[in-house]
Amino acid sequence: MAGLRTAHTADLDVATLRAARALLDGVFGDEMTDADWEHCLGGLHCLAHEDGELVGHAAVVQRQLLHGGRALRTGYVEGVAVRADRRGRGHGARLMAEVERVVRAGYDLGALGSTEEAAGFYARCGWVRWEGPTSALTPEGIVRTPEEDGWIYVLPAAAALEPEGELTCDWRAGDAW
Ligand SMILES: CC(C)(COP(=O)(O)OP(=O)(O)OC[C@H]1O[C@@H](n2cnc3c(N)ncnc32)[C@H](O)[C@@H]1OP(=O)(O)O)[C@@H](O)C(=O)NCCC(=O)NCCS
């Protein structure tokens, strides 16, 4: 039986958080860093279960993205993964439908940084590739992040967006986007 649970980090017990981290470690291997895990914390976790086992995860955390001179309350999506042996069964789509509900109800827009492998999946889920330049608001000021150009996807919600314009993320440790 498949099930979906959405809960804040604060409401998940240690065992559940460990299982989510283990799932991400299993899917991403050495590429999954402590900073990447940190980026999943402090917001909502969408957890997909099959026969009582955790098989999928997506987090939505609040960030501020700057665009068109405004700071936009953004539901930023992190740690999207479905266990390799449970893919192709709709878990990913169900997780992203829940993410979309959260973003549309609570944020100006949704955003995420995609891998090459997952870009088609996000497009299939209705997310739109950001065509304009990307940057990060660092302690030294706004710095372009050209390596991220073309890999940021957004889900427009309440905010009016100019997709050719610049999109700037707030500052954090680890990968900016
Ligand atoms: C991407 C991922 C989350 C998809 O999960 P999933 O449970 O297999 O996805 P679903 O079965 O719900 O598929 C939903 C739809 O997306 C499509 N899809 C799934 N993965 C896709 C991909 N990598 N590229 C293009 N389309 C994809 C499916 O064909 C399906 O389309 P359909 O509804 O027309 O049949 C999963 O493959 C995964 O964990 N990948 C490795 C980790 C990763 O890349 N995470 C994203 C990091 S940014």
Coordinates of all heavy atoms in Angstrom, one line a residue, residues 72-75 100 103-105 107-112 122 125-130 153-163:
L72 N 10.9 37.4 -2.9 CA 9.8 36.5 -3.0 C 9.9 35.4 -2.0 O 10.9 34.7 -2.0 CB 9.7 36.0 -4.4 CG 9.7 37.0 -5.6 CD1 9.7 36.4 -6.9 CD2 8.4 37.9 -5.4
R73 N 8.8 35.2 -1.3 CA 8.7 34.1 -0.4 C 8.6 32.8 -1.2 O 7.6 32.6 -1.9 CB 7.5 34.2 0.6 CG 7.5 33.1 1.7 CD 6.4 33.4 2.7 NE 5.1 33.2 2.1 CZ 4.2 34.2 1.8 NH1 4.5 35.4 2.1 NH2 3.0 33.9 1.3
T74 N 9.7 32.0 -1.1 CA 9.8 30.9 -2.0 C 9.8 29.5 -1.3 O 10.5 29.4 -0.3 CB 11.2 31.0 -2.8 OG1 11.2 32.3 -3.4 CG2 11.4 29.9 -3.8
G75 N 9.0 28.6 -1.8 CA 9.0 27.3 -1.3 C 10.1 26.5 -2.1 O 9.9 26.2 -3.3
E100 N 3.5 20.8 -4.8 CA 2.8 21.9 -5.6 C 1.7 22.4 -4.7 O 1.5 23.7 -4.6 CB 2.3 21.3 -6.9 CG 1.5 22.4 -7.7 CD 1.1 21.9 -9.1 OE1 1.7 20.9 -9.5 OE2 0.3 22.6 -9.7
V103 N 3.3 24.7 -2.2 CA 3.9 25.9 -2.8 C 2.7 26.9 -3.1 O 2.8 28.1 -2.8 CB 4.7 25.6 -4.0 CG1 5.0 26.8 -4.8 CG2 6.0 24.9 -3.6
R104 N 1.7 26.4 -3.8 CA 0.6 27.3 -4.2 C -0.2 27.9 -3.0 O -0.6 29.0 -3.1 CB -0.4 26.5 -5.1 CG 0.2 26.1 -6.4 CD -0.9 25.7 -7.4 NE -0.3 25.2 -8.7 CZ 0.3 26.0 -9.6 NH1 0.3 27.3 -9.4 NH2 0.8 25.5 -10.7
A105 N -0.3 27.1 -1.9 CA -1.0 27.6 -0.8 C -0.2 28.5 0.1 O -0.8 29.4 0.8 CB -1.6 26.4 0.0
Y107 N 3.3 30.1 -0.7 CA 4.5 30.8 -1.2 C 4.1 31.6 -2.5 O 3.2 31.4 -3.2 CB 5.6 29.8 -1.5 CG 6.0 29.1 -0.3 CD1 5.5 27.8 0.1 CD2 7.0 29.6 0.6 CE1 5.9 27.1 1.2 CE2 7.4 28.9 1.8 CZ 6.8 27.7 2.1 OH 7.2 27.0 3.2
D108 N 5.0 32.5 -2.8 CA 4.9 33.3 -4.0 C 5.3 32.5 -5.2 O 4.8 32.7 -6.3 CB 5.9 34.5 -3.9 CG 5.4 35.5 -2.8 OD1 4.2 35.6 -2.6 OD2 6.3 36.2 -2.3
L109 N 6.2 31.6 -5.0 CA 6.6 30.7 -6.1 C 7.4 29.5 -5.5 O 7.8 29.5 -4.3 CB 7.5 31.4 -7.1 CG 9.0 31.5 -6.8 CD1 9.8 31.7 -8.1 CD2 9.3 32.7 -5.9
G110 N 7.5 28.5 -6.3 CA 8.4 27.3 -6.0 C 9.6 27.4 -6.8 O 9.6 27.9 -7.9
A111 N 10.7 26.8 -6.3 CA 11.9 26.8 -7.1 C 12.8 25.6 -6.6 O 12.6 25.1 -5.5 CB 12.8 28.1 -6.9
L112 N 13.6 25.1 -7.5 CA 14.5 24.0 -7.2 C 15.6 24.0 -8.2 O 15.5 24.6 -9.3 CB 13.8 22.7 -7.3 CG 13.0 22.3 -8.5 CD1 14.0 21.6 -9.5 CD2 11.9 21.3 -8.2
Y122 N 10.9 17.0 -13.8 CA 10.3 18.2 -13.3 C 9.4 18.9 -14.3 O 8.3 19.5 -14.0 CB 11.4 19.2 -12.8 CG 12.0 18.7 -11.5 CD1 13.4 18.5 -11.5 CD2 11.3 18.3 -10.4 CE1 14.1 18.0 -10.4 CE2 11.9 17.8 -9.3 CZ 13.3 17.7 -9.3 OH 13.9 17.2 -8.1
C125 N 6.2 17.3 -14.4 CA 5.4 17.7 -13.3 C 4.9 19.2 -13.3 O 4.3 19.7 -12.4 CB 6.2 17.5 -12.0 SG 6.5 15.8 -11.6
G126 N 5.2 19.9 -14.4 CA 4.7 21.2 -14.6 C 5.6 22.3 -14.2 O 5.2 23.5 -14.2
W127 N 6.9 22.0 -13.8 CA 7.8 23.1 -13.5 C 8.5 23.6 -14.7 O 8.6 22.9 -15.7 CB 8.9 22.5 -12.5 CG 8.3 22.2 -11.2 CD1 7.3 21.3 -10.9 CD2 8.6 22.8 -9.9 NE1 6.9 21.3 -9.6 CE2 7.7 22.2 -8.9 CE3 9.5 23.8 -9.5 CZ2 7.7 22.6 -7.6 CZ3 9.5 24.2 -8.2 CH2 8.6 23.6 -7.2
V128 N 8.8 24.9 -14.6 CA 9.3 25.7 -15.8 C 10.7 26.0 -15.6 O 11.1 26.6 -14.6 CB 8.4 27.0 -15.9 CG1 8.9 27.7 -17.2 CG2 7.0 26.6 -16.0
R129 N 11.5 25.7 -16.7 CA 12.9 26.1 -16.6 C 13.1 27.6 -16.6 O 12.5 28.3 -17.4 CB 13.6 25.5 -17.9 CG 15.1 25.4 -17.9 CD 15.5 24.7 -19.1 NE 16.0 25.6 -20.1 CZ 17.3 25.6 -20.5 NH1 18.1 24.7 -20.1 NH2 17.7 26.5 -21.4
W130 N 14.0 28.1 -15.7 CA 14.3 29.5 -15.6 C 15.3 29.8 -16.7 O 16.4 29.3 -16.8 CB 14.8 29.9 -14.3 CG 14.9 31.4 -14.1 CD1 16.0 32.2 -14.3 CD2 13.8 32.2 -13.8 NE1 15.6 33.5 -14.2 CE2 14.3 33.5 -13.8 CE3 12.5 32.0 -13.5 CZ2 13.5 34.6 -13.6 CZ3 11.7 33.1 -13.2 CH2 12.2 34.4 -13.2
Y153 N 14.5 25.4 -11.9 CA 13.1 25.3 -12.3 C 12.2 26.0 -11.3 O 12.5 26.0 -10.1 CB 12.7 23.8 -12.4 CG 13.2 23.2 -13.7 CD1 14.5 22.9 -13.9 CD2 12.3 22.8 -14.7 CE1 15.0 22.4 -15.1 CE2 12.7 22.3 -15.9 CZ 14.1 22.1 -16.1 OH 14.5 21.6 -17.3
V154 N 11.2 26.6 -11.8 CA 10.2 27.3 -10.9 C 8.8 26.8 -11.2 O 8.5 26.3 -12.2 CB 10.3 28.9 -11.1 CG1 11.7 29.4 -10.8 CG2 9.8 29.3 -12.5
L155 N 8.0 27.0 -10.1 CA 6.6 26.8 -10.2 C 5.9 28.1 -9.9 O 5.9 28.5 -8.7 CB 6.1 25.7 -9.2 CG 4.7 25.3 -9.3 CD1 4.4 24.5 -10.6 CD2 4.2 24.5 -8.1
P156 N 5.5 28.8 -10.9 CA 4.9 30.1 -10.6 C 3.6 30.0 -9.8 O 2.8 29.1 -10.0 CB 4.5 30.7 -12.0 CG 5.4 29.9 -13.0 CD 5.5 28.5 -12.3
A157 N 3.5 30.8 -8.7 CA 2.3 30.7 -7.9 C 1.7 32.1 -7.8 O 1.2 32.6 -8.8 CB 2.6 30.2 -6.5
A158 N 1.8 32.8 -6.7 CA 1.2 34.1 -6.5 C 2.0 35.2 -7.2 O 1.4 36.3 -7.6 CB 1.1 34.5 -5.0
A159 N 3.3 35.1 -7.4 CA 4.1 36.2 -7.9 C 4.1 36.2 -9.4 O 4.2 35.2 -10.1 CB 5.6 36.0 -7.4
A160 N 4.2 37.5 -9.9 CA 4.3 37.7 -11.4 C 5.8 37.6 -11.7 O 6.7 38.2 -11.0 CB 3.8 39.1 -11.8
L161 N 6.2 36.8 -12.6 CA 7.6 36.5 -12.9 C 7.9 36.9 -14.3 O 7.1 36.8 -15.2 CB 7.9 35.0 -12.7 CG 7.6 34.4 -11.4 CD1 7.9 32.9 -11.4 CD2 8.5 35.1 -10.3
E162 N 9.1 37.4 -14.5 CA 9.6 37.7 -15.9 C 10.7 36.7 -16.1 O 11.9 36.8 -15.7 CB 10.2 39.1 -15.8 CG 10.8 39.6 -17.2 CD 9.8 39.4 -18.3 OE1 8.8 40.0 -18.2 OE2 10.1 38.6 -19.2
P163 N 10.4 35.6 -16.8 CA 11.3 34.4 -16.9 C 12.7 34.7 -17.6 O 13.6 33.9 -17.4 CB 10.5 33.4 -17.7 CG 9.2 34.0 -18.0 CD 9.1 35.4 -17.6

